[in-house]
Amino acid sequence: MSWFMRFARSTIGMKVAMAISGLLLFGFVIGHMLGNLQVYIGPSALNHYGAALQGNQGLLWVVRLGLLAILFTHVGSSVALVLRAKAARPQGYRKWQGKVSTYASRTMRVSGPILLLFIIFHLLHLTVGTVHPDLQHCATQATGDLQCFVYQNVDAAFSLDTAGTTMAVQLGIVAFYLVAMLLLGMHLGHGAYSMFRTLGLNSPRYDKVARAFATAVAVLIVVGNCSIPLAVATGLVGAAGGH
Amino acid sequence: MNLTLHVWRQKGPNDPGRFETYPATGISEHMSFLEMLDTVNEKLEAEGKEPIVFEHDCREGICGCCGFMIDGKAHGGQHKTTVCQLHMRSFKDGDELTLEPWRAQAFPVIKDLMVDRSAFDRIIQSGGYVSVRSGSPQDANAILIGKEVADRAFDAAACIGCGACVASCPNAAAMLFTGAKITHLGVLPQGAPERFRRVQAMTTQMDMEGFGYCTNHGECSAYCPKGISLDVIARMNQDLLLAQVVTRDEVRREGGE
Ligand code: FES
């Protein structure tokens, strides 16, 4: 195994770990968004989807722990690499001018930690419920069926006139979600493009295609994910169709 | 034309260094940037001061000796131009310019604007060659190489090892340099047999020298005076990944492991 450890500890090995874990997380983000977009179909679709996920607790925890391990790999290797880059240039320039690097590429180390904070907040908000005004957990009905309240929870989470909280707090939460999703879009836009190159999958023939693909998916994710809190906050989705 | 220069002055590797300001007066727009510095140095010497040290040799853009940051841009930032080939007509009368050496842990400052790039030599020594028995040369046409392959190798071989890639990289990575050597040798039939051993050895040495890593900003290639493409880094990554899956014998042979 010595060859493997040698590879895993090399800078390229760590970058490959970043790229593969990033790819898996990218897939999760897409799946998560597609699931959430069922909010537009209606309460029963979203609640059934929630019940289906919660129905198999064993599988749910396997996936959760798997995601945690992937996230740990992604964050762990990025920390190791950032420390390495800092050590590689102990004394910085008084002046430095970029020519082709993008705002997204230069802010990966800022968008990353903010997204980590967002993930923690998001879990406390819509999974655990600590920072949610009125989170209803799934409950087993008399019939034995599992009833979930994802739709009602999302409604209460983002609507501006929810009992038990103030409009200012709700506006703040919606704003945080929107900012986080914009950062996610930038992070994924550069990350997906960078992933192709790190894995050596690029070729001059389709470099432009890879960049366009990464940008297009990132834009779709931003639009799709931002639409939900916006639709609830503006009342397009929610109370009328729910409860 | 007259300019003001803010130049990094450092007596030696252990001196903390500082910026000092010098006027550059009576500069002709036909001078190269290094000739402008020669003029400034002549004045400094006449005043009994230490001239500004910078590395140079060919002054025609082929040896890779020259290079420093001008206003935060490697070699001054002109497309595919080394600082010795940069002319004063690219600047305006009254410009204030900041001159700094390449900054990387692996490139210690020798003096002022001159850095020690021996780390690059050690990367080359670790695998940037082909092992051939010497003897009478065979016919040049005996090994057939496609035009596209020859072009690709030649483009990568244009690297002069000046270090601008490391200097302009926000992570101080040497991956454009290392990738250029790996591509140059690896795509040709003469270099192919040692392809996997080479990538293993050279990237290990690159890490040992304390360079950073690539996050695909692309600044290295944009500032490269030879326009080496970012694709050489992807090729290096590809080779190192392949080296993990090919028969270990191929990597280990000739002391690669
Ligand atoms: S002095 Fe030789 S490349 Fe500039």
Side-chain angles (χ1 to χ4, degrees):
Chain A
M1 283 307 267
S2 71
W3 66 269
F4 181 76
M5 285 315 293
R6 174 168 152 176
F7 176 66
R9 274 205 298 265
S10 70
T11 48
I12 296 177
M14 283 194 277
K15 279 291 297 174
V16 167
M18 288 276 285
I20 293 175
S21 56
L23 178 68
L24 295 169
L25 291 169
F26 193 83
F28 168 75
V29 166
I30 294 175
H32 189 42
M33 179 184 75
L34 292 178
N36 290 350
L37 287 177
Q38 295 177 69
V39 74
Y40 295 113
I41 305 178
S44 87
L46 192 63
N47 289 345
H48 275 116
Y49 168 65
L53 293 184
Q54 292 283 336
N56 190 339
Q57 285 288 314
L59 186 63
L60 183 68
W61 277 101
V62 169
V63 173
R64 280 177 175 171
L65 292 177
L67 281 170
L68 200 65
I70 295 167
L71 189 67
F72 193 79
T73 308
H74 198 68
V75 174
S77 42
S78 76
V79 169
L81 284 167
V82 168
L83 290 178
R84 202 185 153 86
K86 291 250 181 294
R89 180 167 293 140
Q91 183 168 15
Y93 291 108
R94 180 196 262 190
K95 277 194 169 180
W96 182 87
Q97 283 187 46
K99 234 186 197 181
V100 293
S101 57
T102 59
Y103 185 72
S105 77
R106 288 191 305 270
T107 53
M108 292 298 271
R109 289 166 200 171
V110 182
S111 53
I114 297 176
L115 285 170
L116 189 61
L117 289 179
F118 170 76
I119 292 172
I120 295 170
F121 178 80
H122 183 51
L123 286 174
L124 292 177
H125 192 207
L126 279 161
T127 304
V128 185
T130 328
V131 292
H132 189 282
D134 176 30
L135 189 97
Q136 304 177 64
H137 288 281
C138 298
T140 312
Q141 302 298 99
T143 56
D145 289 343
L146 191 66
Q147 172 72 34
C148 286
F149 307 95
V150 186
Y151 192 89
Q152 288 74 9
N153 289 338
V154 170
D155 184 15
F158 299 118
S159 89
L160 299 184
D161 56 349
T162 297
T165 172
T166 66
M167 192 169 193
V169 170
Q170 291 301 91
L171 274 176
I173 289 178
V174 170
F176 182 41
Y177 268 79
L178 297 183
V179 169
M181 287 308 109
L182 281 176
L183 291 176
L184 179 67
M186 278 171 25
H187 199 82
L188 293 184
H190 178 71
Y193 168 73
S194 188
M195 182 270 297
F196 280 114
R197 294 193 153 271
T198 300
L199 297 181
L201 292 176
N202 71 303
S203 123
R205 262 178 302 156
Y206 58 87
D207 188 58
K208 287 212 172 60
V209 180
R211 185 139 234 177
F213 167 80
T215 312
V217 179
V219 168
L220 282 181
I221 287 171
V222 174
V223 171
N225 279 344
C226 284
S227 76
I228 299 173
L230 278 177
V232 175
T234 54
L236 291 173
V237 159
H243 305 306
Chain B
M1 59 201 279
N2 300 317
L3 303 105
T4 309
L5 306 178
H6 304 288
V7 186
W8 181 258
R9 301 305 305 265
Q10 184 172 341
K11 289 196 173 69
N14 299 321
D15 178 29
R18 75 221 71 85
F19 279 101
E20 267 168 38
T21 304
Y22 303 99
T25 47
I27 302 301
S28 153
E29 59 178 18
H30 301 301
M31 285 180 179
S32 76
F33 202 90
L34 298 189
E35 284 165 342
M36 182 276 288
L37 284 181
D38 292 339
T39 314
V40 172
N41 276 345
E42 275 168 21
K43 286 220 181 78
L44 285 178
E45 268 176 285
E47 292 165 14
K49 291 183 190 151
E50 280 268 310
I52 302 161
V53 172
F54 56 90
E55 194 180 354
H56 61 103
D57 187 15
C58 71
R59 295 208 178 195
E60 54 184 12
I62 54 170
C63 74
C65 283
C66 66
F68 44 82
M69 303 294 270
I70 304 172
D71 271 352
K73 294 177 279 192
H75 288 295
Q78 196 174 89
H79 184 59
K80 289 199 191 178
T81 308
T82 55
V83 74
C84 60
Q85 290 288 294
L86 183 67
H87 286 82
M88 295 314 292
R89 52 180 167 270
S90 319
F91 300 90
K92 292 190 307 292
D93 185 43
D95 273 358
E96 278 197 39
L97 303 174
T98 301
L99 311 189
E100 284 179 85
W102 297 158
R103 295 218 188 269
Q105 179 271 328
F107 284 170
V109 172
I110 296 173
K111 202 171 181 186
D112 300 340
L113 302 176
M114 186 182 194
V115 300
D116 180 358
R117 286 173 293 122
S118 309
F120 272 8
D121 297 340
R122 289 187 291 270
I123 294 178
I124 295 285
Q125 280 159 14
S126 71
Y129 49 78
V130 290
S131 306
V132 286
R133 305 269 178 267
S134 55
S136 55
Q138 57 179 324
D139 189 349
N141 292 332
I143 304 172
L144 298 177
I145 301 169
K147 171 85 165 75
E148 296 79 7
V149 175
D151 284 351
R152 204 170 157 205
F154 190 79
D155 286 348
C159 169
I160 53 175
C162 64
C165 45
V166 174
S168 55
C169 173
N171 305 310
M175 291 204 173
L176 195 73
F177 169 79
T178 313
K181 306 303 167 194
I182 283 167
T183 304
H184 156 210
L185 298 171
V187 298
L188 293 174
Q190 295 91 334
E194 292 169 289
R195 178 177 167 196
F196 298 118
R197 193 198 64 78
R198 177 183 304 116
V199 70
Q200 188 78 266
M202 290 183 82
T203 55
T204 302
Q205 187 65 35
M206 175 184 81
D207 282 355
M208 270 163 48
E209 297 293 345
F211 289 106
Y213 59 98
C214 176
T215 52
N216 296 300
H217 288 291
E219 297 294 1
C220 53
S221 176
Y223 280 111
C224 174
K226 297 296 149 184
I228 304 286
S229 159
L230 207 54
D231 292 338
V232 300
I233 299 180
R235 162 89 188 187
M236 170 174 66
N237 294 340
Q238 204 178 54
D239 274 7
L240 190 64
L241 276 167
L242 285 175
Q244 308 311 309
V245 293
V246 293
T247 322
R248 302 304 304 160
D249 291 353
E250 280 182 48
V251 181
R252 205 173 290 128
R253 198 172 47 208
E254 299 180 51
E257 195 73 325

